[in-house]
Amino acid sequence: MSLDEKKQVAVEEVDRGPSSTAPSLDDSPRQALLDGELLAEDVRPAAERSLVRTLDMRLLPTIILIYIMNYIDRVAISAARLKGLEQDLGLSDIQYETVLAVLYASYVPAQIPSNMILHRISRPSYYIPICVMLWGLTSGLTGVAQNYAGLLAARIFVGLPEAFAAFYPGAIYLMSRWYTRRELAFRSAIIYGGLLISNAFGSLMAAGILSHMEGKLGIRAWRWLFYIEGAITIAIGLLAILLLPDYPHNTRWFTPAQRRLAQVRLAEDAGEADEDAASESVYKGLVMALKDPKVPIFALMSCSQLLGLSFINFFPTIAGTLGFSTTVTLLLAAPPWIFATIVCCVNAWDADRTGERFLHLCIPWWGVILAYIIGTTTMSVGGRYVAMFLMASGYAGFALTLVWVSNAIPRPPAKRSAAIAIVNGFGNLGNLAGSYVWKAAWGPDYHQSMFIGIAGFAVATALAVLMRWVLINQNKRLEREELNELKGAQRERIEEAARLEGITFEEALERKRGFRYLY
C-alpha cells in the first residue's frame, strides 16, 4: 500500500472513529480515543510503553513458539538417525547428506519472492500461520516415508512452506515494521533464542519419544517423532492466527490512536515514514536491493558464517562422539543450547544498549573458532563438551545478522524486505554446503570439518570488517548530504512523517539529520 493510499485510510479512520471492539491501553473500561490523542507529551510515554508491552506479549511469544517448532521439525531427522532411520530406509551416507541438503535447495530460492509477498500483502497474521500449518503437515508426513525417494520428496515439501513463510527473514521484517532500531536487536535475539532453545527442547522431546514410543501401534519410534512434532506445529499455526499482528496501519486489535502512535515511533526513529512512496513497488524494492553494494557483502558474510555453523544439523552426531548411549547423548546435547540462548540474549541486549554491531557479531564467531581449535587438538570428553558450548554460542552472532541488515538498509520497506530475504536466502547456501561438510567418514574427530568451519568464519570476519568500513563512510556522506535539499521519494516519506507527527516539514527534516547507520 502506497503513502497516498494510507493517507486515505487515515482520513476514513478519523471519520469513522475508533473501533468499538479495539482494546484499551489498560484494564479500565474501553473508551473512544481520538486519532493523535496519544501523541500529547503528557500521555505519550505511558501509551508507548503500553504499545510495546502489548507487542511483546503477543508478537514475540507467538513467533518464538513458531520458531521453536520450525527448527525442531527441521532437525528431527538428525535425532531420527540415531534410532534407525538410515537402516530402515536403506540410506547411504551420501543419501543422508543429500536429504539434509535438499531442504535448503527448495528453501533458499523461494525466500526472496516470499518476503516480497509478505511485504505486499496486508494480513501477515493469516499468511504466516497458513504456511506454518502446511510445513507442520509435510513434516508429519515425513514419518510415512518408506525409502530414499519418499524421504527426499518429504524434505523438499518441508522446505517449500518454510520458505514461503520465509519465517526468520519474514519475522525480522515484520518486527522491523513495529520496533525501533534500538529495540530490534534484543527482541530479534529473543526470537532467535527460540531457535537455540529448540535444539535443547528438540533433543529432550526426541529423547522422550524415541525411548518410549518404539513399537507403539506397530510403528517405529522415529516415525512417531515426525507425527507428534508435526501435529504440534499445526496446532501452533492455528493459534498464531489469533495472536499475530498485521502492520501498524491495519492491525485490528489496536485503536486508531495506537496505530497512529506506532507509525509515528518509526517515523521519528529514521526521520522518515516507514512506508513506500507511490512510485516504490515491490519489484522496484528488489531492484534497489540488488543494486545496493551492502546487500552482496551481507549475503556472502551470512553464507560464510552459516558454513561455519553448519554443525547444527549434526549436533546429536557430534554429541555421540562422546561415547554415551542414545538417550544420554540426546540429553547431553541440550545444555549447550540453553547456555547459547542466554549468551544470545545478553549479547543482543548489549548491542541495543551500545548501538554497536561489528564486535557483537564477531566475538561469538571467534568463540566457535576457539571451539574448533579445541576439537582438533583433543579427544577428551571434557574438552570436546566445553567446545560444544562454544560452538552453540556462535549463533549469538548470527542472531544479529539480519538486524544489522535492517539497520543498514532501513528505508524504503520494499527494499528492506527484499534485502533481508536475499541475505537470508543466499546465506542458507552455507547450510546447504554444510550438509556435506560433516561427513561420517571424517568422524569421530571431524578435523577436516572444523578446518572448513574456521575458514568460513575467517571470510565472514573479513566481510564484517568491510561492512563496518562501508557504513562509516556512508555516515560521513550523510553529513555532507544534509547540506543539500532532499527530493523525490525520500522527501515524500519525510513529508509523511511530518504529517503523522503533526509537525512541520522543516522540523521533520531536522530529525532526519540525526539519523546514522549503526556499525
Side-chain angles (χ1 to χ4, degrees), residues 122-318:
S122 61
R123 297 295 181 191
S125 61
Y126 292 145
Y127 177 73
I128 291 176
I130 288 172
C131 291
V132 170
M133 288 185 281
L134 287 175
W135 95 50
L137 176 63
T138 53
S139 179
L141 291 175
T142 304
V144 306
Q146 299 298 319
N147 51 39
Y148 170 62
L151 185 62
L152 199 66
R155 297 301 286 178
I156 291 173
F157 286 102
V158 168
L160 285 174
E162 284 192 16
F164 278 99
F167 186 66
Y168 184 54
I172 295 298
Y173 175 70
L174 181 60
M175 290 175 61
S176 74
R177 297 296 299 268
W178 286 100
Y179 292 109
T180 64
R181 288 178 301 150
R182 289 187 177 270
E183 294 169 345
L184 187 59
F186 180 64
R187 287 166 175 83
S188 297
I190 291 176
I191 287 178
Y192 204 76
L195 178 153
L196 303 179
I197 207 70
S198 73
N199 287 280
F201 287 157
S203 295
L204 296 174
M205 185 185 300
I209 295 172
L210 294 177
S211 62
H212 292 95
M213 296 300 292
E214 182 64 42
K216 300 292 184 181
L217 302 179
I219 298 172
R220 291 296 308 271
W222 67 263
R223 296 185 187 275
W224 278 114
L225 181 64
F226 289 109
Y227 298 155
I228 293 171
E229 291 179 355
I232 295 172
T233 300
I234 293 172
I236 290 175
L238 289 169
L239 182 66
I241 295 175
L242 304 176
L243 295 177
L244 283 178
D246 293 308
Y247 294 121
H249 70 277
N250 69 341
T251 294
R252 295 179 294 271
W253 34 268
F254 278 138
T255 65
Q258 288 173 306
R259 294 197 290 268
R260 173 80 175 272
L261 175 61
Q263 294 174 73
V264 167
R265 277 168 24 91
L266 295 180
E268 291 176 349
D269 185 50
E272 58 188 56
D274 190 34
E275 306 294 350
D276 298 316
S279 62
E280 293 169 340
S281 65
V282 172
Y283 173 75
K284 188 172 182 181
L286 174 62
V287 173
M288 286 190 289
L290 291 172
K291 289 182 177 180
D292 191 327
K294 296 192 295 291
V295 173
I297 296 174
F298 274 126
L300 288 170
M301 185 180 76
S302 180
C303 181
S304 299
Q305 66 171 313
L306 282 176
L307 177 61
L309 293 168
S310 59
F311 62 81
I312 188 171
N313 290 321
F314 299 86
F315 207 72
T317 301
I318 296 170

Side-chain angles (χ1 to χ4, degrees), residues 321-322 370-391 450:
T321 65
L322 299 177
L370 176 60
Y372 286 156
I373 293 172
I374 293 172
T376 56
T377 56
T378 182
M379 283 298 293
S380 71
V381 172
R384 290 176 76 85
Y385 196 51
V386 168
M388 288 172 63
F389 278 80
L390 292 173
M391 290 164 66
M450 294 179 184

Side-chain angles (χ1 to χ4, degrees), residues 94 97-98 100-105 108 303-304 306-311 313-314 425-439 442 449 452-453:
I94 191 67
E97 292 162 358
T98 301
L100 293 180
V102 76
L103 182 144
Y104 297 104
V108 168
C303 181
S304 299
L306 282 176
L307 177 61
L309 293 168
S310 59
F311 62 81
N313 290 321
F314 299 86
F426 189 85
N428 271 284
L429 291 176
N431 272 326
L432 192 157
S435 300
Y436 297 94
V437 167
W438 296 84
K439 296 177 176 293
W442 291 350
S449 307
I452 292 172

